[in-house]
Amino acid sequence: MFERRLRVVLTIPVLCGLVMLARLYRLQILERAEFREYAAAALIAPRRYLPPLRGAIRDRFGEVLVSDEPAYDLTVDYGALEANDEFVEDYALEIRRSEPDWHDADPQSLRVEATDRLDAFYDRLSRLSGTPVDDLLLRRDQIVESVQSLREYIWNHRREDERKELKDFRIKEQNLHHALMRDVTADARAKIEMALRDLPFVRIEPSVRRVWHDRAQPLCHILGRIGQVSSERIENDPRGDDSLAHYRAGDMAGTSGAELLAEETLRGTRGYEENDLDLQVVEHIDPIDGNDVRLTIDLDLQQQIASLLMDAVMEDPNRTGASCVILDVATREVLAMVSVPTFSLETFREHYDSLRDDTRYRPLLFRAVAEEYQPGSIMKPVALLAGFRYGLVDPAATTFCDGSYKNDSKHWHCWTYWRHQPGHGNVNAEEAIQHSCNIYFYALGERLNAHRLTSFYSDFVLGPNRSADAQSGTGLIEERSGIIPTQEWIFERRGRGYRVADGRNYAIGQGELQITPLQAANMYATLASGRFQEPTILADDDRRRPARDIPGLRTSAINTARRGLYRCVNEEGGTAERTARMENIVVCGKTGSAQCTARATVTAYTFDSGSHEQTILAPTIEAARATLPDGENARLMKRKIVERWPPPREKEKSPPPHAWFAAFAPYKHPRIAMALIIEYGGSGGQVAAPVGQKVLQVLLDSPHDYLGTGTGSGESLARGKSEDPS
């Protein structure tokens, strides 16, 4: 019995010793590397990330339009922003460790003190920086909402068998510092660093700020803006596997314009620095800055055209804006893409509400690519080519115009009828374009029918043989594709099939047909070259943009349309002869006066606010919601337009038409194509064509010889007889 007890007593310490040896073996041998990392990490201060500079955006000749400059942000540990229990507990322990007066405090008192300091932090920062407390709290809430949204998004998209409970699921953004104040000034930085050094969760860290240069305002719509990345964008980041390059909550990235279009080129890769507790550098990785992007836009050209357009808009109170696009015919590079009015990118956020609610001039609208207009008579040369494709046009055959297409009709008249002028008499294909004869094109549209017209327009405006996944246009997110009213489109939106009248309307560029100024300019580049090609605003566009022939078109047909455009500008009786003809270069062009509707400027919005309905008069629904106590959640019941601009013309029910001028030049060897529109300008010949002439003069005066005159300085050349189409 005694011996058995002795063996048991002796065995216990032996077993304990074996367990200890096994544990030591695991710690010292098997897990040595892991615990060595833990030990090293305990001696290293938290990693400080170094932001890269975003690439600059430059104009055609290298002038910087927008760039990054070094700055400093005030960042706060995410736990402090969320003020969660885990962080409050850790902060309470830090107070006990670092402050002798709190060494003996009980845990509850420490937690209360930690919470009070977190709450007081925003008041202290507000006094130091001059930033309202409400703004700081709003920014805090945005950061927390962004991180939590990303956390839930990632959790929801994990496989079921990999999912933890959401409450136990963490993402790396919860362990980082986030920018509560961006671009802190040097004076504020010094005050904050001194006054808040007792708060371990606050840092002043190097950052960058986006700077828009003074001359860049005419390109505000093209350059676009940057904004905070969304949860979906973080999750779908093509660089998501790169720990230094991937997006993090709170990062800024392009959201519109060239900033978004060239995002992958412009964004860089962050670096980092790790210090030991004695502030000696342990590891340092430099950030890799983003690459610069060069646009095809000529800044000087853009500025001068913007000034011309704005002057034209201000000449008449009815006019609300204008746009002009200039293309290189051979390459389809966009030399200028102007939309006025413009706005300041530097103060955009500050003035956003007033810019958004300006429903008369709509300065935020990128008219060149994001607004679709009825093209009016600038579409007539393309309608003529459709007739050639289907064998329905004899260039020499004439149509008689006496001012009316149908007897006793209130609608189907030539423009001469409304001006109390005689009709054009017998006109052939070229003369119909020269004089912009509606009667000729009504007859052509009726013979063609709407189906064949829209089929051809689709090839000519959108490009032939398009693949479903091909990127069209410049690739800008704002760019719209226009409206080519196919039979399916008409049925879906009008609840009917094509009518005879549709063919007539589409042949003169009216009805449901709509295109953007960029499409109009590219349409005239296609008329000039005979081939379709997608336009670009990037000097090093790596997309495949092959020039494509338009099916069913012969060179002779295109030459007939070109001669009609020549006669429109250069021969007596042409609608642009008195206002667009130039003595130093031969221009081929077409005017247009497109019927349109007045724009809504004030709307009555009726909301269901729970207990009753409330009607608010406002320019936009956002402005209406802002007047309600709980506007974001109020349900919109109905809306009714109560004011429009511009008012109807005297003795007429409609506002002034949009004024178009589209052209290419020179005639024999086209170098540039252009399209210009002045909203509610009135007559294309009297209003848009003279502005177009001034734009062409700017091109002539450019030192870059865009028109191939060989002068490079706008010197006048003799008007050679060899340019005459005859």
Side-chain angles (χ1 to χ4, degrees):
M1 179 71 72
F2 174 76
E3 290 179 355
R4 186 190 309 170
R5 290 178 179 176
L6 181 62
R7 282 197 296 271
V8 171
V9 170
L10 292 175
T11 301
I12 290 173
V14 170
L15 291 174
C16 290
L18 290 173
V19 171
M20 292 177 65
L21 286 172
R23 180 63 177 158
L24 287 171
Y25 177 79
R26 182 179 178 184
L27 293 174
Q28 297 286 343
I29 305 300
L30 299 180
E31 298 179 354
R32 178 177 59 182
E34 183 178 350
F35 280 97
R36 180 179 291 165
E37 291 180 6
Y38 288 154
L43 300 175
I44 296 175
R47 176 177 288 183
R48 185 168 66 104
Y49 286 99
L50 307 174
L53 293 177
R54 186 174 176 83
I57 301 178
R58 301 172 179 270
D59 90 327
R60 186 178 188 87
F61 303 106
E63 182 164 346
V64 176
L65 306 168
V66 57
S67 62
D68 268 7
E69 290 186 359
Y72 285 89
D73 292 344
L74 181 141
T75 66
V76 180
D77 188 292
Y78 179 77
L81 294 170
E82 193 179 37
N84 56 61
D85 292 341
E86 182 182 352
F87 180 83
V88 171
E89 195 73 34
D90 290 344
Y91 185 32
L93 293 175
E94 175 63 21
I95 293 173
R96 168 179 279 170
R97 185 194 65 78
S98 61
E99 299 183 27
D101 291 346
W102 289 90
H103 283 347
D104 300 325
D106 63 275
Q108 180 60 28
S109 298
L110 281 167
R111 283 193 294 271
V112 171
E113 178 64 17
T115 302
D116 289 344
R117 292 189 187 188
L118 286 172
D119 292 340
F121 158 64
Y122 298 98
D123 289 319
R124 294 175 64 186
L125 181 58
S126 176
R127 289 193 297 271
L128 290 166
S129 65
T131 304
V133 172
D134 288 346
D135 289 355
L136 295 173
L137 295 177
L138 176 61
R139 174 63 181 154
R140 176 201 65 184
D141 294 343
Q142 289 172 339
I143 295 170
V144 172
E145 182 181 352
S146 175
V147 171
Q148 289 304 320
S149 175
L150 176 61
R151 175 170 164 261
E152 292 176 13
Y153 182 91
I154 295 173
W155 183 79
N156 285 324
H157 286 75
R158 295 213 161 195
R159 285 170 35 190
E160 287 286 346
D161 58 347
E162 293 180 348
R163 265 194 217 168
K164 303 177 181 179
E165 290 290 330
L166 179 59
K167 63 183 178 61
D168 299 322
F169 181 68
R170 290 182 66 84
I171 59 176
K172 54 183 172 290
E173 279 74 11
Q174 292 175 274
N175 302 319
L176 300 174
H177 278 60
H178 296 264
L180 185 66
M181 288 179 56
R182 296 190 182 275
D183 194 18
V184 181
T185 64
D187 290 344
R189 190 165 73 240
K191 288 194 296 183
I192 291 169
E193 286 179 324
M194 290 294 295
L196 301 183
R197 57 187 174 183
D198 61 312
L199 301 179
F201 53 83
V202 177
R203 294 182 190 167
I204 298 289
E205 295 190 301
S207 179
V208 293
R209 67 186 181 102
R210 203 66 169 157
V211 177
W212 293 272
H213 295 253
D214 291 341
R215 296 217 305 148
Q217 183 162 332
L219 287 95
C220 60
H221 300 95
I222 300 173
L223 293 174
R225 301 183 291 276
I226 58 173
Q228 188 169 302
V229 292
S230 64
S231 303
E232 292 79 7
R233 198 162 180 185
I234 293 173
E235 183 67 13
N236 298 318
D237 185 1
R239 303 190 197 180
D241 294 334
D242 189 329
S243 62
L244 294 179
H246 68 77
Y247 291 128
R248 302 185 313 188
D251 280 356
M252 306 296 282
T255 59
S256 64
E259 293 278 18
L260 175 59
L261 180 64
E263 172 67 16
E264 285 306 305
T265 302
L266 292 168
R267 65 186 286 201
T269 302
R270 66 180 69 85
Y272 67 86
E273 184 175 277
E274 289 182 345
N275 300 331
D276 61 23
L277 298 183
D278 293 325
L279 300 182
Q280 299 298 310
V281 176
V282 175
E283 187 174 7
H284 178 94
I285 300 294
D286 286 324
I288 301 173
D289 294 338
N291 295 314
D292 291 356
V293 166
R294 188 163 57 91
L295 303 180
T296 61
I297 307 294
D298 179 340
L299 175 59
D300 289 333
L301 197 62
Q302 183 91 1
Q303 283 187 310
Q304 293 180 71
I305 295 173
S307 179
L308 290 173
L309 292 189
M310 204 61 213
D311 287 346
V313 171
M314 291 295 101
E315 283 179 4
D316 189 312
N318 286 323
R319 300 172 191 172
T320 57
S323 179
C324 179
V325 178
I326 309 291
L327 294 179
D328 182 299
V329 168
T331 65
R332 303 300 163 94
E333 291 180 344
V334 180
L335 304 177
M337 188 155 60
V338 180
S339 179
V340 296
T342 60
F343 60 92
S344 169
L345 286 163
E346 197 72 50
T347 60
F348 167 76
R349 295 185 187 280
E350 179 184 349
H351 297 147
Y352 173 73
D353 286 353
S354 61
L355 292 169
R356 177 199 66 199
D357 295 338
D358 186 349
T359 49
R360 178 169 169 181
Y361 291 105
R362 299 188 297 173
L364 295 180
L365 179 63
F366 192 176
R367 288 169 164 83
V369 298
E371 182 70 323
E372 296 157 326
Y373 303 92
Q374 291 168 311
S377 294
I378 66 168
M379 205 72 189
K380 288 175 178 175
V382 185
L384 182 68
L385 293 180
F388 275 110
R389 172 195 266 186
Y390 294 105
L392 298 176
V393 170
D394 176 351
T398 62
T399 296
F400 181 73
C401 170
D402 64 359
S404 296
Y405 184 62
K406 298 287 185 181
N407 292 332
D408 302 321
S409 170
K410 295 181 179 179
H411 305 290
W412 306 105
H413 299 291
C414 198
W415 60 268
T416 57
Y417 174 89
W418 305 110
R419 297 190 184 183
H420 308 291
Q421 296 175 6
H424 296 111
N426 286 313
V427 291
N428 61 24
E430 291 180 21
E431 293 166 337
I433 294 177
Q434 175 188 359
H435 300 296
S436 197
C437 179
N438 286 351
I439 305 305
Y440 182 96
F441 286 97
Y442 287 150
L444 176 60
E446 189 169 319
R447 293 200 306 275
L448 272 167
N449 73 46
H451 176 71
R452 288 193 288 198
L453 262 177
T454 56
S455 176
F456 184 79
Y457 286 169
S458 183
D459 282 348
F460 207 91
V461 176
L462 304 179
N465 306 315
R466 299 181 312 283
S467 60
D469 58 346
Q471 188 182 61
S472 60
T474 62
L476 289 166
I477 193 173
E478 298 90 345
E479 192 167 338
R480 302 183 72 169
S481 58
I483 298 175
I484 307 296
T486 62
Q487 195 158 343
E488 294 77 12
W489 190 97
I490 285 289
F491 186 79
E492 286 177 10
R493 290 165 176 79
R494 299 289 185 265
R496 61 172 177 83
Y498 282 137
R499 296 171 178 168
V500 173
D502 293 330
R504 299 177 199 154
N505 270 327
Y506 300 162
I508 64 166
Q510 294 287 170
E512 294 83 4
L513 182 68
Q514 295 184 17
I515 61 175
T516 68
L518 174 63
Q519 289 176 320
N522 202 38
M523 188 168 75
Y524 272 67
T526 301
L527 280 166
S529 68
R531 309 185 78 192
F532 178 89
Q533 188 176 1
E534 301 288 359
T536 181
I537 65 164
L538 298 178
D540 301 311
D541 196 335
D542 58 1
R543 296 178 301 158
R544 288 190 69 254
R545 298 184 302 110
R548 290 172 277 167
D549 292 324
I550 306 296
L553 268 195
R554 296 182 178 180
T555 302
S556 59
I558 296 175
N559 285 339
T560 298
R562 289 174 185 155
R563 285 194 295 270
L565 293 171
Y566 169 89
R567 297 172 72 162
C568 180
V569 177
N570 298 282
E571 291 189 0
E572 186 176 354
T575 57
E577 189 269 333
R578 295 184 180 181
T579 50
R581 186 176 186 273
M582 302 183 73
E583 292 302 320
N584 43 12
I585 195 165
V586 180
V587 178
C588 298
K590 184 74 186 74
T591 60
S593 305
Q595 295 176 3
C596 53
T597 58
R599 180 179 304 135
T601 53
V602 179
T603 302
Y605 297 96
T606 302
F607 296 94
D608 179 3
S609 56
S611 58
H612 64 286
E613 291 186 3
Q614 187 170 358
T615 299
I616 307 292
L617 297 182
T620 62
I621 190 169
E622 294 87 354
R625 289 189 184 279
T627 65
L628 298 172
D630 191 22
E632 288 299 318
N633 299 317
R635 185 165 62 94
L636 179 65
M637 303 289 291
K638 59 184 177 180
R639 68 182 78 196
K640 180 181 179 182
I641 297 171
V642 295
E643 286 186 21
R644 292 181 179 271
W645 188 269
R649 293 170 290 176
E650 187 177 355
K651 297 182 180 179
E652 295 194 35
K653 296 180 180 180
S654 62
H658 295 323
W660 280 98
F661 180 67
F664 63 81
Y667 169 62
K668 287 292 187 182
H669 304 287
R671 298 285 294 271
I672 66 94
M674 66 172 289
L676 180 153
I677 186 170
I678 299 174
E679 292 178 350
Y680 306 111
S683 165
Q686 298 303 313
V687 176
V691 180
Q693 184 186 60
K694 293 176 183 177
V695 169
L696 289 163
Q697 188 61 51
V698 168
L699 287 162
L700 272 174
D701 292 341
S702 169
H704 304 296
D705 196 24
Y706 289 121
L707 289 166
T709 60
T711 62
S713 59
E715 298 173 15
S716 295
L717 296 179
R719 188 180 178 85
K721 291 184 179 179
S722 62
E723 295 282 8
D724 193 296
S726 59

